[in-house]
Amino acid sequence: MFNAEKPSLEELPSSAQLIRSTAIAAASAVAILVTVVLPAEYNIDPTGIGGVLGLAEMGEIKTQLAEEAEADRLMELEAEEQSSLMNDIFGLFVGAAHAQEVEVWRDEITFTLAPGDSAEWKLVMEEGQTVEYRMLVEGGRVNFDMHGHGGGNSITYEKGRGSTGDEGKIVAAFDGEHGWFWRNRDSSDATVTVQVRGEYAEFKDAS
């Protein structure tokens, strides 16, 4: 078994040599950075050597590509923001239009029926005319008869018992008065609200 001989102190590099080697390495790194890396990657050529070697052109292309990519990214972001804004505006517009369509009624009546009381309201309509209605009952329940009469004709469209509300359409079967008769058969007061819109000449109390 052989043991390697340890180098003598004379064979080891001195501190001055180490400092010199480090300085040379650092200077070489700086030179490579200035003459190669900066021109090729960032189109920065302070010495002009990058232009001679064709590296500056490469850096210019890379810089242009990076700028174009950033411009495309900003355009896409702006387009997304504009699209989102337009969608929000459209949603608000549609929601407002829908709410207006649903909530706007031509006539609305409200009355309260004590136990045993009755009421009757009629729409003056011509044959074929259509009316949309919504009936709401609060505090109790009512019986109702939705019917029409006129010119010797009569018709029953719908009847309800213990009703707390109803909605739908009336299509006049003939010229005349078409509407509701209510009676409160419950033991507590009932408040009735009726909303109507559509084709009719008058909505009147026929009690």
Side-chain angles (χ1 to χ4, degrees):
M1 185 174 181
F2 298 95
N3 292 324
E5 294 183 1
K6 295 182 179 180
S8 64
L9 294 177
E10 289 77 9
E11 294 175 343
L12 294 176
S14 64
S15 298
Q17 290 175 326
L18 289 175
I19 293 173
R20 181 183 177 186
S21 298
T22 301
I24 293 173
S28 299
V30 171
I32 293 173
L33 174 66
V34 173
T35 60
V36 178
V37 177
L38 291 180
E41 295 296 331
Y42 304 101
N43 192 27
I44 299 174
D45 190 14
T47 64
I49 296 176
V52 174
L53 298 177
L55 298 175
E57 183 178 357
M58 184 188 303
E60 183 179 357
I61 293 174
K62 289 183 177 180
T63 301
Q64 289 177 350
L65 291 175
E67 291 175 350
E68 291 174 0
E70 178 64 14
D72 290 341
R73 188 188 70 82
L74 293 176
M75 288 180 63
E76 290 178 0
L77 181 61
E78 183 178 358
E80 290 176 359
E81 291 177 350
Q82 290 180 349
S83 176
S84 177
L85 178 61
M86 291 300 295
N87 288 336
D88 290 343
I89 293 174
F90 181 74
L92 290 173
F93 176 78
V94 171
H98 179 68
Q100 182 178 14
E101 178 185 354
V102 170
E103 296 302 328
V104 172
W105 296 89
R106 180 174 164 183
D107 284 300
E108 179 177 319
I109 59 167
T110 299
F111 54 87
T112 299
L113 297 176
D117 284 354
S118 63
E120 187 170 12
W121 280 75
K122 293 292 178 60
L123 294 153
V124 179
M125 302 173 65
E126 296 179 4
E127 181 179 353
Q129 289 187 329
T130 301
V131 167
E132 295 180 60
Y133 70 87
R134 181 166 64 185
M135 178 178 69
L136 307 172
V137 182
E138 297 180 338
R141 300 172 299 174
V142 297
N143 298 344
F144 70 88
D145 184 335
M146 187 168 66
H147 59 277
H149 59 81
N153 300 307
S154 63
I155 186 173
T156 297
Y157 295 107
E158 184 182 355
K159 289 186 177 183
R161 296 179 60 83
S163 176
T164 58
D166 189 33
E167 61 182 338
K169 293 182 179 180
I170 299 175
V171 180
F174 44 79
D175 295 353
E177 297 182 354
H178 306 263
W180 298 264
F181 173 83
W182 297 273
R183 187 177 296 277
N184 183 3
R185 293 296 189 185
D186 225 349
S187 58
S188 59
D189 291 353
T191 299
V192 180
T193 298
V194 181
Q195 299 166 318
V196 293
R197 61 186 172 196
E199 303 167 316
Y200 60 92
E202 184 182 0
F203 188 35
K204 64 180 183 178
D205 187 350
S207 301

